[in-house]
Amino acid sequence: MNKIASAFCMAASIAALHPLALAQPNDTLKALAKSQTGFKIIEQQGEQARAIQGILKNISLPDGFAITLYALAPRARHMAVGPRGMVTFVGTLKSEVWAIIDHDRNGIADEVRNFAPFIEKSVPNGPCFAPDGVLYIAEQNRVLAYPRAEIQIQDANPETLEVIPAGALIPEKFVSSNHTARVCDVGPDNRLYISLGQPYNVTQREYLNTFGEIGIGGIIRISRDGTDREVYALGIRNSVGQDFHPTTGDLWFTDNQVDGMGDDIPPGEINQQTAMGQHFGFPWFGGGHVRTNEYKDEEVPGGVVFPVSETVAHAADLGMLFYQGDMFPDHYRGGIFSAQHGSWNRSVPIGARIMFTPVDAQGRIAGDTEPFAEGWLDENGKYLGRPVDVAQLKDGSLLVSDDLTGAVYRITYAVPGS
């Protein structure tokens, strides 16, 4: 065997072992490195922690459940719990990703520090893990992979691979401060799914074809090395929460409805996707079956898929997951926990709570979406917290992120009277 053939065979063997092995770090990543170590350690005690603990005393939960402060993490958004179970990575809408470390695994963070400070980031909202331990972070207009994130949290410049280069996730002309928070998940097919919220309240007609080709206002699917990009779903206004059903493998996701149509319409959405290429109605529908004013007289695309569960209007449904732990009662296993961030322009505020939607083993909605944890919105309409995302720890407890208080909470269950 000649040297070229030998090298090709070796490369193929490496690629088979690891989907990112042939991806090359982009030289521009080094150019973005900062000149100082840049680590920020977040103090976990003090006045802020005490104030949040006071707020948590007023959070209502079903009998047997309790909520405590897990960690302080400024502007905490979407979360990804490492496969080893010791580190939780938390994205933000700014420039930091936080690593929350519970060394002794006692349910209280021992350390919170910024992750990979040498790598400049822009709106790194969406971290997600692959089963083999590779951490992906979906930024505003880039996707990076960190193959050894859990074991390199003390490294200011951990191994970093560029999955989608800066400026290649969407065209720069469509980068906006509106609906720019991405989320990602690695699916049962070992491919990466990334949401792309469109930047308008209601998409302008002139951009419909372009957005459809790119996947803006939808969800794209790529191989884990960044190749083979395809548009997986369309007709989505702004999804900032998704998960795969553990039995069927279907992708489920939340969606935020159109603003400015009134306090009580359109409804928020929890959707189920059963096949590639399905269309979920936007912008012809503003949420549920409610037509938008801009498109109400226009023909609707064929085969629109409507939500499997409608939620209260303008509560801003964000992160969601299928609960797979053993800590909570059987009623909750396989169901959806989701976070309502809270309304921003409703005359009477609503939301700021964790919801639960029962789902049976066959992947069918088994009841209404109802409040599970609430109390972050007081009787005067003031927000004391704004939940963003939910994640599950190895012990079956539930984490809740809050970007208003800059905190992550932990919800546990013990049999009443035990």
Side-chain angles (χ1 to χ4, degrees):
M1 182 180 292
N2 62 38
K3 291 183 179 179
I4 294 177
S6 178
F8 179 82
C9 290
M10 182 177 294
S13 299
I14 294 172
L17 291 172
H18 200 296
L20 286 171
L22 298 183
Q24 297 298 315
N26 193 298
D27 289 340
T28 59
L29 294 177
K30 296 180 180 179
L32 292 173
K34 301 175 183 177
S35 60
Q36 68 279 356
T37 53
F39 276 119
K40 300 175 184 175
I41 308 299
I42 304 302
E43 174 60 46
Q44 294 299 300
Q45 305 298 325
E47 183 178 343
Q48 182 185 3
R50 289 191 292 272
I52 291 172
Q53 289 163 350
I55 292 171
L56 295 182
K57 293 178 181 178
N58 296 316
I59 301 302
S60 63
L61 289 155
D63 289 346
F65 288 92
I67 186 168
T68 56
L69 176 62
Y70 184 68
L72 296 179
R75 302 183 178 92
R77 294 278 299 183
H78 282 72
M79 301 176 288
V81 178
R84 294 171 177 237
M86 192 177 71
V87 185
T88 298
F89 292 84
V90 183
T92 70
L93 294 182
K94 298 296 183 180
S95 60
E96 300 289 5
V97 172
W98 303 109
I100 299 177
I101 309 160
D102 182 6
H103 292 291
D104 55 10
R105 305 188 188 191
N106 68 345
I108 301 174
D110 299 304
E111 181 183 355
V112 177
R113 61 166 58 211
N114 55 339
F115 173 68
F118 271 22
I119 303 298
E120 293 186 1
K121 311 171 192 70
S122 178
V123 194
N125 179 81
C128 63
F129 268 102
D132 59 8
V134 177
L135 173 68
Y136 296 87
I137 297 180
E139 299 184 23
Q140 182 181 46
N141 203 9
R142 179 178 71 173
V143 180
L144 299 183
Y146 301 86
R148 284 178 279 276
E150 276 191 286
I151 62 176
Q152 290 187 319
I153 54 175
Q154 308 291 343
D155 189 340
N157 190 24
E159 181 182 355
T160 308
L161 301 173
E162 200 165 52
V163 179
I164 297 182
L169 190 56
I170 66 172
E172 288 289 346
K173 68 175 291 185
F174 297 120
V175 173
S176 167
S177 59
N178 295 323
H179 309 155
T180 196
R182 318 296 181 202
V183 294
C184 67
D185 272 295
V186 175
D189 56 0
N190 199 37
R191 300 187 71 186
L192 190 61
Y193 292 72
I194 304 165
S195 66
L196 298 179
Q198 56 80 49
Y200 303 101
N201 184 36
V202 178
T203 306
Q204 299 177 29
R205 288 175 179 80
E206 61 188 289
Y207 297 135
L208 285 178
N209 290 337
T210 300
F211 283 10
E213 294 169 359
I214 299 169
I216 296 176
I219 296 170
I220 62 170
R221 178 171 69 175
I222 61 173
S223 296
R224 288 176 54 191
D225 63 359
T227 60
D228 302 320
R229 175 171 173 161
E230 55 190 356
V231 178
Y232 190 70
L234 279 173
I236 303 167
R237 182 174 177 269
N238 182 40
S239 175
V240 200
Q242 60 185 32
D243 196 11
F244 289 89
H245 188 270
T247 302
T248 68
D250 291 343
L251 177 63
W252 293 53
F253 57 90
T254 61
D255 196 11
N256 291 181
Q257 69 288 330
V258 169
D259 293 316
M261 299 187 71
D263 276 1
D264 300 316
I265 60 168
E269 297 183 351
I270 296 177
N271 294 282
Q272 177 187 9
Q273 183 163 359
T274 57
M276 180 178 171
Q278 289 178 322
H279 196 290
F280 292 85
F282 179 81
W284 289 265
F285 295 89
H289 291 75
V290 178
R291 295 295 299 270
T292 58
N293 295 326
E294 292 83 352
Y295 288 80
K296 64 182 179 181
D297 297 324
E298 299 194 14
E299 184 177 354
V300 176
V304 165
V305 178
F306 291 101
V308 290
S309 181
E310 294 186 356
T311 62
V312 64
H314 308 297
D317 299 276
L318 299 185
M320 60 156 283
L321 65 77
F322 287 100
Y323 181 73
Q324 291 298 294
D326 295 324
M327 178 183 287
F328 294 1
D330 290 345
H331 167 69
Y332 296 97
R333 187 168 178 82
I336 296 171
F337 284 105
S338 56
Q340 289 189 340
H341 196 228
S343 56
W344 68 274
N345 67 346
R346 196 175 185 274
S347 60
V348 178
I350 197 169
R353 55 194 179 183
I354 302 301
M355 309 296 286
F356 179 75
T357 308
V359 180
D360 66 22
Q362 288 71 46
R364 299 172 299 204
I365 292 287
D368 294 333
T369 299
E370 296 180 342
F372 171 76
E374 55 186 341
W376 288 282
L377 181 60
D378 73 12
E379 63 276 6
N380 298 315
K382 177 183 178 181
Y383 286 113
L384 305 177
R386 300 195 73 179
V388 176
D389 193 22
V390 285
Q392 183 187 307
L393 290 179
K394 293 288 187 180
D395 65 0
S397 59
L398 192 71
L399 297 183
V400 176
S401 62
D402 183 332
D403 63 353
L404 178 62
T405 63
V408 175
Y409 315 123
R410 178 171 175 253
I411 297 176
T412 56
Y413 177 80
V415 177
S418 64

